[in-house]
């Protein structure tokens, strides 16, 4: 398998927002990568994916977001983007596509699934057990949160997840990632205009 470099596209608005934040934090936005692809569903699944509910009904929905709140919009998007079902999803980007209703039209256009799976090794075992991820997002530590001119915001979350297998086997694999989201408010509603992620060492057992 030939790994594909993750897309690093950001809208002009998101880049402006990022530069304001990073100027204060002293960070370089190119150090972080956007969501990386994952492997497709297992072809040896005992149960057809059409018979399974996405995440067995555990996945967050875009309707949970309070669009008048930057915090609620950002946190909901972060959780959705880390909620994967290996019986349905071919890449991590599939989850980002499910978060499109919380994004600007311009940023939504960048959510395109890659042809190859760059994280197949990490996702091989979960897919063998028809597993789905259970994600939790908490505000990232440090001086990251920004509110700018009342209609722009930056939020960062430390996202952890664990895998829930459908065959009752035990999967100890967990994941951890920091996601930074750039938001703008239009017509009274917050929308994600860009996001970046950075993988971090997994700790504990992921989401509880």
């Amino acid at each position: 398998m030939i790994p594909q470099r993750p897309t690093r596209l950001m809208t002009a608005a998101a880049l402006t927002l990022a530069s304001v934040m990073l100027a204060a934090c002293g960070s370089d936005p190119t150090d972080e990568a956007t969501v990386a692809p994952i492997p497709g569903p297992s072809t040896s699944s005992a149960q057809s994916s059409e018979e399974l509910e996405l995440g067995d009904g555990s996945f967050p929905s875009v309707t949970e977001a309070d669009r008048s709140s930057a915090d609620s919009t950002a946190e909901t998007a972060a959780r959705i983007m880390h909620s994967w079902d290996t019986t349905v999803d071919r890449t991590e980007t599939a989850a980002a596509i499910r978060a499109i209703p919380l994004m600007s039209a311009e940023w939504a256009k960048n959510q395109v699934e890659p042809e190859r799976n760059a994280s197949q090794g990490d996702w091989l075992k979960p897919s063998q057990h028809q597993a789905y991820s259970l994600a939790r997002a908490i505000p990232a530590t440090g001086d990251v949160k920004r509110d700018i001119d009342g209609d722009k915001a930056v939020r960062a979350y430390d996202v952890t997840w664990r895998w829930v297998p459908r065959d009752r086997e035990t999967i100890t694999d967990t994941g951890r990632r920091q996601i930074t989201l750039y938001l703008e408010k239009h017509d009274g509603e917050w929308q994600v205009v860009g996001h970046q992620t950075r993988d971090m060492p997994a700790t504990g057992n992921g989401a509880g």
Side-chain angles (χ1 to χ4, degrees):
M1 179 195 69
I2 302 175
Q4 178 174 321
R5 291 182 60 85
T7 303
R8 298 193 180 192
L9 296 175
M10 295 188 68
T11 63
L15 285 171
T16 301
L17 221 56
S19 63
V20 172
M21 168 199 162
L22 294 169
C25 298
S27 302
D28 184 350
T30 60
D31 289 340
E32 297 180 334
T34 54
V35 176
I38 63 173
S42 171
T43 57
S44 60
S45 297
Q47 187 176 6
S48 170
S49 61
E50 285 80 5
E51 300 173 5
L52 301 173
E53 185 178 6
L54 194 65
D56 284 353
S58 66
F59 284 2
S61 167
V62 294
T63 60
E64 296 178 20
D66 177 359
R67 302 299 297 277
S68 67
S69 166
D71 290 330
S72 178
T73 302
E75 181 180 348
T76 302
R79 292 174 57 218
I80 291 174
M81 283 188 264
H82 293 84
S83 296
W84 306 291
D85 192 323
T86 61
T87 66
V88 177
D89 297 334
R90 187 177 62 85
T91 69
E92 287 190 11
T93 309
I97 290 172
R98 288 194 284 272
I100 278 179
L102 300 179
M103 301 179 186
S104 66
E106 184 176 357
W107 187 239
K109 293 177 183 178
N110 290 291
Q111 312 312 310
V112 179
E113 289 197 83
E115 294 182 2
R116 294 183 176 87
N117 304 320
S119 307
Q120 187 167 358
D122 294 335
W123 296 90
L124 179 60
K125 186 173 182 180
S127 65
Q128 290 174 339
H129 298 282
Q130 296 184 296
Y132 56 88
S133 63
L134 187 61
R136 177 177 61 183
I138 60 174
T141 58
D143 190 18
V144 182
K145 183 175 179 179
R146 291 285 187 278
D147 291 289
I148 306 164
D149 298 331
D151 61 356
K152 297 178 180 63
V154 180
R155 297 291 186 269
Y157 295 90
D158 189 350
V159 182
T160 56
W161 64 89
R162 63 180 176 88
W163 291 101
V164 180
R166 288 186 169 93
D167 58 7
R168 298 185 180 180
E169 294 293 329
T170 300
I171 299 179
T172 59
D173 301 24
T174 62
R176 183 182 175 211
R177 177 179 293 165
Q178 186 174 94
I179 181 170
T180 303
L181 303 102
Y182 307 92
L183 303 98
E184 289 186 357
K185 192 174 187 180
H186 296 279
D187 298 324
E189 291 192 343
W190 288 96
Q191 54 187 221
V192 178
V193 299
H195 70 270
Q196 295 175 290
T197 63
R198 178 165 60 92
D199 288 333
M200 303 177 71
T203 58
N205 293 317

